[in-house]
Amino acid sequence: MGNTLLEALNVRVVGNGERVLVLAHGFGTDQSAWQRILPYFLPHFRIILYDLVCAGSVNPDYFDFRRYTTLDAFVDDLLNILDALGVDRCAYVGHSVSAMIGILASIRRPELFTKLVLIGASPRFLNDHDYHGGFEEGEIEKVFSAMEANYDAWVHGFAPLSVGADVPAAVREFSRTLFNMRPDITLFVSRTIFNSDLRGVLGLVKVPCCIIQTAKDVSVPTSVALYLKNHLGGRNTVEMLNVEGHLPHLSAPMLLAPVLRRALSR
Amino acid sequence: MPTPVSIARQCLTDEAARALDDAVGVARRRSHAQTTSLHAISALLAFPSSTLRDACARARSSAYSPRLQFRALELSVGVSLDRLPSSKALEEPPVSNSLMAAIKRSQASQRRHPENFHLQQQNQTASFLRVELKHFILSILDDPIVSRVFGEAGFRSCDIKIAMIQPPLSPVSRFPRTRCPPIFLCNLTDSDPARRTFSFPFAGVSGSGDGDENSRRIGEVLTRKTGKNPLLIGVCSSDALRCFADCVERRKGDVLPAEIAGLNLICIEKEISEFVGRGGSEDKLGLKLKELGHMAEQYSGPGIAVNFGELKALVGDDAPGEAASFVVSKLTSLLKAHPNLWLMGSSGSYETYLKFLTQFPSIEEDWDLHLLPITSSRSSVEGFCSRSSLMGSFVPFAGFFSTPTDFKNPLNSTNQSITLCHLCNEKCEQEVSAILKGGSTISLADRYSGTLPSWLLMAEPDTNKGADAVKAKDDGRALNDKVLGVQKKWYDICQRLHHAPPYPKSIFQPVPQVSGAECYGFIPDRRETSSKDSSPSESGSANLSPSTTMNLQKISPSKIQIPLPVVSESESVNFQSKLAGSVSKSKQVETRSSPWFSPCPLPNLSLAPDRTSSSCITSVTTDLGLGTLYASNSQETKRLNLQGHKERMNYFSGSVSAEFDVVSVNNSSQIGQSPSCSVPDLGGQMDARDFKSLWRALASKVGWQDEAICAISQTVSSCRTGNARRHGSNLKGDIWLSFLGPDKVGKKRIAAALAEIMFRSSKSLVSVDLGYQHGSNQSNSIFDQHELNSCGIEFRGKTITDYIAGELRKKPQLVVFLENIDKADLLVQTSLSQAIRTGKFPDSHGREISINHMIFVTTATSKKGNRNLVSGKEPVEFSEERILGAKSWQMKILIGCVTGEASRSNGMNVLVTPREGTSNPKSTSKRKFIDTGSFAEQDKYLEMSKRACKASNSYLDLNLPVEELEEDVDSANCDSDSLSESSEAWLEEFLDQMDEKVTFKPFNFDAVAQKLLKEISLNFQKIIGSDIQLEIDSEVMVQILAAAWLSEKGGAVDDWVEQVLSKSFTEARQRYRLTAQSLVKLVPCEGLSVEEQAPGVCLPARIILN
């Protein structure tokens, strides 16, 4: 099971360091998103890279629509990978959906994680009476319809918005990986994501977390970062990046790398 | 007026002209008075192998058979043509305005099109461009009538356009795309199977419900040996629990693992809430529980699970403690007694559970609980599956994406995401509105088609739109897609044509962007003029050895690969089109139309000084990487005009970006200041190897760093004269300098001057602030406007290494200015070390770029050993750190009353208010700056955390637990220690390899301040009188000093005092009755940035009187 999983999810282990670092990409990207961050950590960490099962680089046949109905299945994948690699302690950097996956994984196996770094994380995207997640349910439905109607157009609209249109190279990169995903999987996973609500379980996290939030993120309002800080159960810090965009590792790797380093050294 | 066919034909290539002839033929046959775009379309579609047909076939909606859709298209074209009024037959129906406009548009777009660029160069003798068929068709497709016709047949003209632009065999995605249904055939939509291109399997899955992850998980917990009783935690947990109960009740096979199949689930939630909430009797609940116990004993299956429901019932505010503990103790004993009894419940949030836990600390063991985080519920999945009824919204992706206004006006503020450049944005908007119009016309057209001519219909849609709302709603979705398509298309076009959406000007490259070309344009001209008239510069021109000039001219063609467009209108103009020879709208500028070199002519160099201002004001700026131009707004030009008067030698001025200002001012000021010197300066350019000329040139830029300049000149000249230094066996042509110590502005300016002198273009300077990431810029800093703070945004999306490598690749000769070398990250360190060792700079992919003629200048504010030198001096009033914090605020004058004893120091009635709220500002701020090395204020959050860290070094915050605090500090310390240690070692080694290390002296702000205050005082006394006091806010003083530091011309601030400040004093005197008790205050308007700058200095041109 282990090996096929490692193969299926394109697990790569690189770097020369002692400590283990997991870099988990977010929705719409694959492990190549970490390309620009990677060089900074290669000398110091043994880095585990993998693709989420929904990523375009993974054979879409592996995506079981019956299994991946909640994030827990993604968490299973992550934990299985770590087990298969014999990792017993690691730091975890997760972006967007992977941040959520990391949170859940650390609840299930707190001893496995020394530190969680959550980039662009949100426990809940939909607004609630006293919670501002950034989206109204109606809006989400519209997005889904748009996605269903014309994936191409949706990608072209979504990518620059998400990344920040002033970084064409990063937009291209994100569009590419977003396009690589099969549209039905994209839609299914985004439904799963928007359907998830981690707010109730944040307190179960005991691992120290570092929440990295960009100044302007179309998907995650700044208040969410503070919500996370206040509700996550461990010792938490918030790092604000003074850039735009939901994908700082694509659009501002220079800015993110030192922050990550600092976060991981603590 | 329609255009005669023969004239229109002249604009077209043969192929396109044939198409036009066909269109004319169509119009003639139908006896139409004019040839319109529709005729052209009709003609273009007539041939089965035409380009347009081919594009249509590729852009076709997959939903319909091609035959059907083409038939629909022909029909709708035919119907539209039928609607046109016929008149008496003409032999050659002239070309209609709209079609002619399309031809003009295609001409323009063809010029813009980079692929055709070389083509123009080849036959640029032709006064205009012949439009190719492709472009002709493309712009015809822009015509709203045409896109309507296509729309009716289910085509989107933007798709067709994309298909035309793209080569046939490049599918955009691997996946089939769904398209909007053709409006013409919209009633077929539902029955069309191809619309459901990808099926969504999950719809079936969740409908049957057997794939419920949560229930499966709950089942898993139930089979565990220890911790077998699940407590679901999460917002959706009660849903999940209910769901699980449903599944168990309905005995769905695969929800429960085999071991516990047949589990009996009993819910006592109601009983508990009744008991706890309403104070029911203990007996009733006890009875129920006893019953449960009996059941468990007698039950033959795997066991009984007791669902106690939501935990909140037990810990809520209205739940009395004793009732809850009764329930808990009963359940505990029940659980102990019966091994085949399970307990399960849910908790909406972890906090609730925590409360419960504090009430019953041992509950986790007693109940053998397993906390199961639940993050989603099935019921909401089902909710998501239902198809939304909101599809018809007019606003695509409303809310999720920025609102349409954001899309259309991306330059509202620099913070907003920018999607399109101005030009494309404008066009996109036009097209969107055209489509929206077209969209509503369709419905109208359908309705009125019999009664009204179509041109009338076109004119009316807006008025009828409201009445037609219902119909419009139906079309809404299709329109949405259209609009989106258009936006996407323009985004594509924008990306392709302009390489990138342009950045707002404030985040242009930090490099002063004067194109190299102007220098070349200047030098020959200069020679010309000086040989003609005996201007004061003649003596200098003697220095111009002919050979050098020749040399220069020889160089220039190879160097001027960057086309230098000339613009003077305040609109963004695509530069290709400019180069194609379209004359700029400016009156003064004549463009020498050489295909790739259009220098800025400087015709009036020899004119009398007072005449210069009226002519030769050209605004030139290029943005190398982006290829889009921004020209100055009139305000700036005006300002420069003014300046031109003053400087008398206005050979060149105007610009958008402030940095360009600097350079032009700089150049002219030099000449203005010391006429005799101007040409020796030029002579300096001629022979950069000469130490003396280099020294003189540098000293004229930065007057206050004599020793540093001396050292720099010496090093550079000795390196250039080839004191053979080697990288292994290769001769070393690169020069490495390190500027240490304070004076950020001086360092930068010297680097810029080096670039200008050594490589004859200030474009040859690439400046990178390696420390930018350690602190972001203050908003509205005065240094922002001077681009002295490189803000790092231009590095977005790439590493610094790659940025530098990219710049090195672009130019053969470059001064690379690296600020805050001590803050270099690991990658930059590696690359730099290799570069200084081997003469080759590796980028992050390992590709190496030779740095043979480059000059690398690195700066660091402090260095070990030098620190004493800097900070050991007696405290200064205005430190560099303070000046660097200067903001560019508007200033205002307030009139107040003297309160109490005002001390008058040193005979002046001007005093500067002490800095607010800090008794000893220097010690804290200095520490901060030495620590972080950042010039700008720290990012809010960063600073907060840092301050917290720092503060904890000195005292304990009693609000924080001690251990945590110390741990934090320790780890932070050791992190920074290890980090700084390794980088310090690197720095030392790196600096040792430098050709020269130059230590700069601090800029003496206090002396300047003294001088300025004296000046201000003098003016003040002269205008207002000596018995009234002037109080200058220290922030204002800082701002003035910063301006003085930044200004290239010595007396710029003095001039400002004399002109702007004095004028305000005069006004104040006129407006107010000033008595001896009055106190005139000069304060900053915080939050209000400078609207208009005074010429030559970054201070407000007007002071608000209040």
Side-chain angles (χ1 to χ4, degrees):
Chain A
M1 149 91 180
N3 273 337
T4 46
L5 181 78
L6 297 188
E7 225 165 87
L9 298 184
N10 308 317
V11 177
R12 271 198 313 145
V13 183
V14 290
N16 319 313
E18 285 282 306
R19 296 165 61 195
V20 178
L21 173 67
V22 180
L23 294 180
H25 69 85
F27 173 73
T29 52
D30 54 43
Q31 57 178 280
S32 67
W34 298 109
Q35 208 67 42
R36 290 161 225 230
I37 294 290
L38 209 52
Y40 294 91
F41 297 95
L42 284 177
H44 310 293
F45 291 93
R46 194 156 76 95
I47 300 163
I48 298 173
L49 291 157
Y50 79 107
D51 288 336
L52 293 179
V53 71
C54 58
S57 43
V58 173
N59 183 346
D61 294 341
Y62 290 122
F63 191 87
D64 183 348
F65 284 93
R66 309 164 113 241
R67 186 167 166 235
Y68 294 98
T69 49
T70 68
L71 292 179
D72 292 302
F74 293 91
V75 177
D76 289 339
D77 285 348
L78 170 65
L79 294 176
N80 284 335
I81 288 171
L82 294 180
D83 290 343
L85 292 173
V87 174
D88 53 358
R89 261 336 234 159
C90 68
Y92 178 91
V93 177
H95 169 243
S96 122
V97 63
S98 274
M100 296 156 96
I101 293 169
I103 287 173
L104 292 175
S106 76
I107 292 174
R108 242 194 272 172
R109 301 270 297 273
E111 76 290 348
L112 201 53
F113 298 94
T114 53
K115 174 108 194 175
L116 295 184
V117 180
L118 312 173
I119 304 170
S122 174
R124 176 70 167 168
F125 286 102
L126 298 184
N127 296 338
D128 220 333
H129 51 283
D130 57 349
Y131 171 81
H132 181 66
F135 297 96
E136 291 294 342
E137 194 153 349
E139 293 168 6
I140 297 285
E141 276 309 324
K142 270 181 250 170
V143 173
F144 287 155
S145 330
M147 226 156 138
E148 219 171 317
N150 191 341
Y151 188 65
D152 175 36
W154 177 78
V155 167
H156 281 279
F158 179 69
L161 221 105
S162 207
V163 180
D166 57 332
V167 200
V171 171
R172 267 200 303 282
E173 182 66 16
F174 184 53
S175 308
R176 180 183 71 79
T177 50
L178 202 53
F179 244 132
N180 277 341
M181 295 173 73
R182 220 170 68 187
D184 53 342
I185 296 179
T186 314
L187 186 64
F188 189 80
V189 173
S190 40
R191 277 184 197 276
T192 307
I193 293 170
F194 280 110
N195 199 17
S196 310
D197 191 338
L198 271 64
R199 282 174 297 163
V201 305
L202 294 179
L204 291 168
V205 177
K206 298 299 177 206
V207 177
C209 296
C210 174
I211 300 130
I212 296 180
Q213 168 80 20
T214 58
K216 190 181 169 216
D217 187 329
V218 283
S219 312
V220 185
T222 321
S223 59
V224 169
L226 297 174
Y227 182 92
L228 277 174
K229 180 180 176 355
N230 294 333
H231 288 80
L232 282 167
R235 264 192 297 126
N236 308 309
T237 48
V238 175
E239 294 269 6
M240 296 298 291
L241 285 186
N242 199 15
V243 286
E244 273 179 44
H246 184 54
L247 299 107
H249 48 316
L250 277 181
S251 59
M254 298 286 317
L255 220 55
L256 181 63
V259 174
L260 271 183
R261 247 196 94 147
R262 199 163 56 227
L264 290 172
S265 65
R266 276 198 288 257
Chain B
M1 269 299 289
T3 317
V5 176
S6 56
I7 292 182
R9 288 199 57 170
Q10 283 175 4
C11 306
L12 303 171
T13 56
D14 294 342
E15 199 187 0
R18 267 198 301 280
L20 182 68
D21 286 344
D22 292 339
V24 171
V26 172
R28 187 175 54 231
R29 273 199 303 282
R30 289 184 172 253
S31 322
H32 288 155
Q34 296 182 5
T35 309
T36 67
S37 308
L38 275 179
H39 295 106
I41 290 293
S42 169
L44 285 166
L45 286 171
F47 301 104
S49 61
S50 74
T51 326
L52 181 60
R53 232 173 211 283
D54 179 48
C56 288
R58 276 188 282 130
R60 201 175 56 74
S61 155
S62 55
Y64 304 94
S65 78
R67 208 179 49 78
L68 191 66
Q69 216 178 351
F70 272 112
R71 183 80 198 106
L73 180 61
E74 276 156 25
L75 226 125
S76 68
V77 172
V79 166
S80 307
L81 281 175
D82 287 343
R83 287 187 198 138
L84 294 178
S86 57
S87 63
K88 65 179 195 312
L90 293 169
E91 190 47 42
E92 271 199 337
V95 177
S96 76
N97 281 340
S98 66
L99 184 56
M100 202 54 211
I103 293 173
K104 290 266 152 70
R105 276 202 306 274
S106 49
Q107 244 173 344
S109 82
Q110 200 168 331
R111 262 188 220 119
R112 276 196 304 271
H113 233 266
E115 298 96 86
N116 299 311
F117 198 42
H118 60 278
L119 207 128
Q120 288 162 39
Q121 290 170 7
Q122 285 160 9
N123 62 3
Q124 46 115 16
T125 43
S127 60
F128 54 83
L129 203 80
R130 286 174 183 273
V131 173
E132 286 166 36
L133 184 61
K134 185 174 121 185
H135 292 272
F136 182 50
I137 298 174
L138 280 176
S139 55
I140 288 177
L141 288 171
D142 282 335
D143 199 321
I145 307 174
V146 173
S147 37
R148 180 170 58 83
V149 166
F150 275 101
E152 282 171 354
F155 290 100
R156 288 189 294 184
S157 46
C158 54
D159 276 344
I160 300 172
K161 272 192 263 187
I162 288 166
M164 290 206 60
I165 293 165
Q166 280 169 353
L169 290 170
S170 70
V172 180
S173 86
R174 294 200 267 132
F175 309 109
R177 291 188 281 168
T178 46
R179 297 200 175 273
C180 67
I183 293 157
F184 201 70
L185 304 164
C186 54
N187 49 347
L188 297 178
T189 308
D190 293 335
S191 60
D192 177 32
R195 280 264 305 138
R196 294 191 280 277
T197 318
F198 34 81
S199 57
F200 292 93
F202 71 91
V205 170
S206 61
S208 64
D210 54 1
D212 185 7
E213 239 341 76
N214 290 331
S215 302
R216 200 180 58 73
R217 255 162 222 288
I218 297 170
E220 263 175 29
V221 174
L222 291 174
T223 56
R224 289 162 60 123
K225 291 249 156 45
T226 55
K228 62 173 186 170
N229 299 322
L231 177 65
L232 316 188
I233 291 186
V235 176
C236 320
S237 57
S238 56
D239 282 346
L241 194 54
R242 205 168 309 128
C243 212
F244 178 76
D246 275 0
C247 289
V248 171
E249 215 163 285
R250 278 185 272 146
R251 308 249 168 232
K252 292 235 173 101
D254 49 351
V255 168
L256 291 176
E259 303 99 286
I260 54 166
L263 185 84
N264 196 1
L265 188 70
I266 291 165
C267 182
I268 56 164
E269 185 172 13
K270 221 170 70 204
E271 284 84 358
I272 290 179
S273 68
E274 231 165 59
F275 169 71
V276 177
R278 284 181 230 139
S281 69
E282 290 186 4
D283 298 347
K284 199 174 164 195
L285 188 72
L287 212 69
K288 176 80 186 171
L289 293 177
K290 212 168 270 172
E291 204 177 296
L292 280 175
H294 286 306
M295 273 176 82
E297 269 163 26
Q298 288 152 18
Y299 196 66
S300 56
I304 290 177
V306 177
N307 175 7
F308 61 85
E310 177 62 54
L311 202 58
K312 217 190 242 156
L314 293 172
V315 291
D317 293 332
D318 50 348
E322 55 272 25
S325 31
F326 174 76
V327 174
V328 169
S329 63
K330 278 284 172 199
L331 282 175
T332 310
S333 53
L334 196 65
L335 212 56
K336 287 236 169 79
H338 305 284
N340 63 342
L341 195 93
W342 278 270
L343 207 56
M344 57 198 305
S346 66
S347 165
S349 74
Y350 180 67
E351 282 71 25
T352 312
Y353 173 68
L354 270 187
K355 250 192 231 165
F356 186 59
L357 206 60
T358 46
Q359 277 180 36
F360 309 99
S362 63
I363 200 72
E364 216 165 327
E365 288 90 57
D366 289 351
W367 283 8
D368 201 13
L369 284 179
H370 177 85
L371 301 186
L372 190 66
I374 297 292
T375 55
S376 62
S377 71
R378 201 195 57 175
S379 59
S380 51
V381 173
E382 278 164 350
F384 270 114
C385 294
S386 64
R387 264 180 94 81
S388 156
S389 59
L390 293 158
M391 300 257 262
S393 162
F394 251 96
V395 185
F397 304 169
F400 189 55
F401 294 132
S402 49
T403 51
T405 47
D406 271 8
F407 238 105
K408 286 170 186 168
N409 290 317
L411 289 171
N412 274 346
S413 85
T414 48
N415 282 338
Q416 256 168 340
S417 61
I418 290 120
T419 322
L420 301 178
C421 72
H422 270 317
L423 196 69
C424 291
N425 191 43
E426 209 171 278
K427 293 224 171 150
C428 175
E429 256 175 80
Q430 275 172 13
E431 203 163 314
V432 168
S433 65
I435 281 190
L436 286 175
K437 251 189 189 168
S440 53
T441 349
I442 295 158
S443 47
L444 280 167
D446 287 348
R447 204 183 270 183
Y448 296 107
S449 57
T451 53
L452 282 171
S454 72
W455 58 269
L456 240 179
L457 289 178
M458 278 309 290
E460 280 181 345
D462 281 338
T463 52
N464 285 328
K465 215 168 171 177
D468 222 24
V470 184
K471 185 80 180 171
K473 213 173 174 183
D474 287 346
D475 295 341
R477 184 148 167 265
L479 272 177
N480 275 355
D481 284 356
K482 272 190 184 180
V483 169
L484 225 97
V486 170
Q487 281 169 344
K488 188 198 121 199
K489 176 195 71 178
W490 280 106
Y491 179 73
D492 283 349
I493 291 174
C494 186
Q495 285 244 315
R496 194 160 29 73
L497 281 183
H498 309 134
H499 307 289
Y503 302 90
K505 63 185 178 188
S506 61
I507 51 170
F508 271 153
Q509 298 183 7
V511 188
Q513 291 185 345
V514 184
S515 160
E518 85 225 8
C519 290
Y520 301 107
F522 173 62
I523 291 162
D525 272 357
R526 181 66 185 251
R527 196 195 47 175
E528 231 171 71
T529 47
S530 52
S531 64
K532 270 175 205 154
D533 43 71
S534 53
S535 66
S537 61
E538 207 198 31
S539 63
S541 72
N543 286 346
L544 287 163
S545 65
S547 64
T548 335
T549 322
M550 287 278 287
N551 194 13
L552 261 176
Q553 281 172 330
K554 240 185 273 166
I555 295 166
S556 51
S558 67
K559 283 274 289 183
I560 309 160
Q561 279 149 1
I562 315 108
L564 174 69
V566 180
V567 203
S568 67
E569 283 287 312
S570 55
E571 57 180 349
S572 80
V573 182
N574 196 294
F575 80 95
Q576 283 100 337
S577 70
K578 278 288 158 201
L579 286 171
S582 88
V583 182
S584 125
K585 283 171 201 149
S586 148
K587 283 159 278 174
Q588 300 95 354
V589 176
E590 47 173 6
T591 312
R592 250 183 245 166
S593 36
S594 131
W596 39 281
F597 177 35
S598 46
C600 169
L602 307 157
N604 61 336
L605 204 66
S606 55
L607 285 182
D610 48 328
R611 285 177 53 196
T612 48
S613 65
S614 63
S615 52
C616 191
I617 309 295
T618 50
S619 311
V620 178
T621 180
T622 44
D623 182 4
L624 254 187
L626 303 169
T628 316
L629 280 177
Y630 286 88
S632 63
N633 55 37
S634 54
Q635 192 193 346
E636 274 162 314
T637 320
K638 218 189 298 159
R639 184 178 89 225
L640 287 154
N641 262 338
L642 209 95
Q643 188 185 312
H645 260 303
K646 232 173 58 192
E647 310 291 28
R648 289 186 293 177
M649 272 298 272
N650 188 0
Y651 68 91
F652 192 87
S653 80
S655 145
V656 181
S657 39
E659 72 268 43
F660 184 76
D661 252 14
V662 176
V663 175
S664 69
V665 171
N666 160 23
N667 286 340
S668 43
S669 70
Q670 265 180 301
I671 295 165
Q673 262 178 324
S674 50
S676 62
C677 253
S678 62
V679 179
D681 182 32
L682 212 68
Q685 295 184 13
M686 297 304 107
D687 190 4
R689 293 165 188 217
D690 180 12
F691 159 68
K692 266 190 190 163
S693 56
L694 187 62
W695 175 74
R696 211 175 304 148
L698 287 178
S700 73
K701 305 265 175 181
V702 181
W704 60 88
Q705 294 287 5
D706 299 333
E707 291 161 34
I709 286 172
C710 195
I712 294 164
S713 315
Q714 221 153 18
T715 310
V716 171
S717 57
S718 77
C719 286
R720 274 294 134 116
T721 42
N723 280 351
R725 302 159 316 132
R726 294 178 174 278
H727 291 301
S729 59
N730 297 331
L731 207 65
K732 182 180 169 185
D734 46 327
I735 302 175
W736 292 77
L737 298 170
S738 179
F739 295 176
L740 306 171
D743 193 10
K744 182 179 165 73
V745 171
K747 288 183 208 168
K748 174 110 182 186
R749 199 171 296 158
I750 287 184
L754 264 181
E756 221 165 303
I757 296 159
M758 300 301 295
F759 304 131
R760 297 165 197 94
S761 156
S762 47
K763 251 248 164 84
S764 311
L765 178 76
V766 169
S767 93
V768 178
D769 185 352
L770 300 172
Y772 80 90
Q773 48 192 310
H774 294 265
S776 64
N777 290 323
Q778 278 168 301
S779 59
N780 199 33
S781 164
I782 200 164
F783 296 93
D784 271 355
Q785 297 168 1
H786 263 260
E787 302 293 343
L788 272 159
N789 274 343
S790 17
C791 36
I793 292 172
E794 70 276 6
F795 310 131
R796 283 198 67 178
K798 41 178 142 177
T799 59
I800 288 186
T801 319
D802 286 338
Y803 174 75
I804 298 172
E807 294 298 316
L808 290 173
R809 221 172 269 138
K810 270 186 225 158
K811 289 207 154 199
Q813 291 182 317
L814 213 56
V815 172
V816 181
F817 183 62
L818 304 171
E819 285 182 280
N820 296 318
I821 190 72
D822 44 337
K823 297 286 177 294
D825 66 36
L826 199 79
L827 297 186
V828 178
Q829 287 181 357
T830 324
S831 288
L832 284 177
S833 297
Q834 191 175 335
I836 200 169
R837 242 188 357 259
T838 63
K840 292 200 170 68
F841 186 92
D843 68 8
S844 68
H845 306 282
R847 288 174 297 208
E848 291 181 335
I849 302 116
S850 165
I851 50 163
N852 201 16
H853 293 284
M854 315 285 181
I855 298 179
F856 277 78
V857 180
T858 61
T859 79
T861 26
S862 60
K863 202 209 149 207
K864 270 186 188 165
N866 282 342
R867 198 175 284 187
N868 296 335
L869 194 116
V870 179
S871 54
K873 281 193 176 171
E874 67 214 71
V876 285
E877 166 91 49
F878 294 102
S879 58
E880 181 166 337
E881 294 92 85
R882 236 184 117 184
I883 302 295
L884 281 166
K887 302 215 175 179
S888 184
W889 297 132
Q890 183 61 258
M891 297 175 188
K892 65 179 171 189
I893 287 180
L894 296 176
I895 310 293
C897 272
V898 180
T899 49
E901 281 297 290
S903 63
R904 299 195 173 192
S905 56
N906 49 354
M908 293 195 292
N909 53 348
V910 176
L911 87 172
V912 177
T913 58
R915 206 179 184 195
E916 275 172 39
T918 38
S919 51
N920 187 8
K922 263 139 267 161
S923 59
T924 52
S925 64
K926 182 149 285 168
R927 184 179 148 72
K928 181 178 126 202
F929 280 106
I930 286 170
D931 278 359
T932 62
S934 77
F935 287 104
E937 201 176 85
Q938 293 282 304
D939 184 49
K940 231 194 303 173
Y941 290 87
L942 272 177
E943 180 165 46
M944 261 154 51
S945 62
K946 278 217 178 106
R947 201 179 279 158
C949 238
K950 230 172 265 168
S952 54
N953 273 334
S954 50
Y955 63 89
L956 281 176
D957 188 346
L958 297 175
N959 295 321
L960 291 172
V962 176
E963 307 87 351
E964 232 172 75
L965 197 79
E966 278 177 352
E967 202 177 325
D968 246 352
V969 170
D970 279 355
S971 54
N973 276 354
C974 79
D975 169 42
S976 65
D977 278 357
S978 67
L979 231 153
S980 62
E981 233 166 66
S982 66
S983 84
E984 244 168 56
W986 171 82
L987 188 63
E988 217 158 284
E989 193 197 324
F990 180 64
L991 290 180
D992 281 346
Q993 299 175 60
M994 289 274 168
D995 292 310
E996 182 65 43
K997 283 174 277 186
V998 185
T999 306
F1000 278 60
K1001 283 184 299 192
F1003 187 86
N1004 194 345
F1005 292 105
D1006 286 2
V1008 175
Q1010 284 299 318
K1011 202 178 128 260
L1012 274 172
L1013 281 179
K1014 217 168 267 174
E1015 174 89 19
I1016 292 172
S1017 169
L1018 221 67
N1019 272 292
F1020 188 74
Q1021 286 180 12
K1022 209 164 59 191
I1023 295 164
I1024 295 194
S1026 51
D1027 51 343
I1028 296 170
Q1029 282 232 339
L1030 172 66
E1031 191 183 278
I1032 300 178
D1033 192 280
S1034 67
E1035 288 297 309
V1036 170
M1037 202 57 214
V1038 165
Q1039 191 176 338
I1040 295 174
L1041 285 175
W1045 193 22
L1046 284 168
S1047 71
E1048 314 246 340
K1049 207 182 107 198
V1053 174
D1054 292 341
D1055 288 348
W1056 177 81
V1057 168
E1058 216 152 273
Q1059 287 164 8
V1060 180
L1061 199 57
S1062 302
K1063 207 173 83 198
S1064 311
F1065 288 154
T1066 317
E1067 272 174 46
R1069 193 195 55 200
Q1070 286 161 355
R1071 205 184 296 179
Y1072 302 102
R1073 292 177 60 86
L1074 297 172
T1075 64
Q1077 290 304 305
S1078 301
L1079 178 67
V1080 180
K1081 285 189 207 165
L1082 185 61
V1083 295
C1085 312
E1086 291 203 13
L1088 187 68
S1089 46
V1090 173
E1091 274 167 31
E1092 189 186 350
Q1093 279 195 359
V1097 60
C1098 31
L1099 288 169
R1102 216 171 50 79
I1103 294 174
I1104 297 171
L1105 216 55
N1106 203 353

